[in-house]
Amino acid sequence: NVKREVSVSMIGKRLRALRKEKGLKQIDIANVLGVSRTTYTQYETEKSEPDLATVAKLADFFDCSTDYLLRK
């Protein structure tokens, strides 16, 4: 089973902007994803890359496309 990773070139900035638009804290999104706040923070700060399944969950939660999250 190959774990696919995605580029974090823009995803961190987009995640932060979407989260702030909803008035949520990082812990709120972490809870939705079932990860620690530290893990989610690493996505926003581009220190870690979410896998494709996580990107899909984020797109569903923020009601946007995965393309929007991933495009440069």
Side-chain angles (χ1 to χ4, degrees), residues 26 30 36-48:
Q26 290 176 334
S36 69
R37 186 199 56 79
T38 302
T39 297
Y40 179 76
T41 299
Q42 290 175 344
Y43 298 159
E44 281 194 9
T45 58
E46 302 178 354
K47 292 183 177 168
S48 180

Side-chain angles (χ1 to χ4, degrees), residues 20 23 28 40 42-44 52-53 64 68-69 72:
K20 289 192 170 271
D28 300 323
Y40 179 76
Q42 290 175 344
Y43 298 159
E44 281 194 9
L52 293 176
C64 67
Y68 173 75
L69 292 175
K72 295 180 182 179

Side-chain angles (χ1 to χ4, degrees), residues 13-51:
K13 291 175 184 140
R14 291 213 167 98
L15 289 175
R16 181 176 170 89
L18 289 165
R19 177 179 58 79
K20 289 192 170 271
E21 278 178 23
K22 288 188 174 259
L24 298 172
K25 296 181 178 184
Q26 290 176 334
I27 190 67
D28 300 323
I29 310 301
N31 288 338
V32 167
L33 297 175
V35 300
S36 69
R37 186 199 56 79
T38 302
T39 297
Y40 179 76
T41 299
Q42 290 175 344
Y43 298 159
E44 281 194 9
T45 58
E46 302 178 354
K47 292 183 177 168
S48 180
E49 301 176 351
D51 62 27

Side-chain angles (χ1 to χ4, degrees), residues 4-15 18 43 46 48-59 62 64-72:
R4 296 177 187 242
E5 302 288 332
V6 297
S7 171
V8 294
S9 60
M10 287 297 295
I11 194 168
K13 291 175 184 140
R14 291 213 167 98
L15 289 175
L18 289 165
Y43 298 159
E46 302 178 354
S48 180
E49 301 176 351
D51 62 27
L52 293 176
T54 301
V55 173
K57 285 182 190 177
L58 288 162
F62 287 119
C64 67
S65 69
T66 55
D67 285 345
Y68 173 75
L69 292 175
L70 297 174
R71 76 172 183 234
K72 295 180 182 179

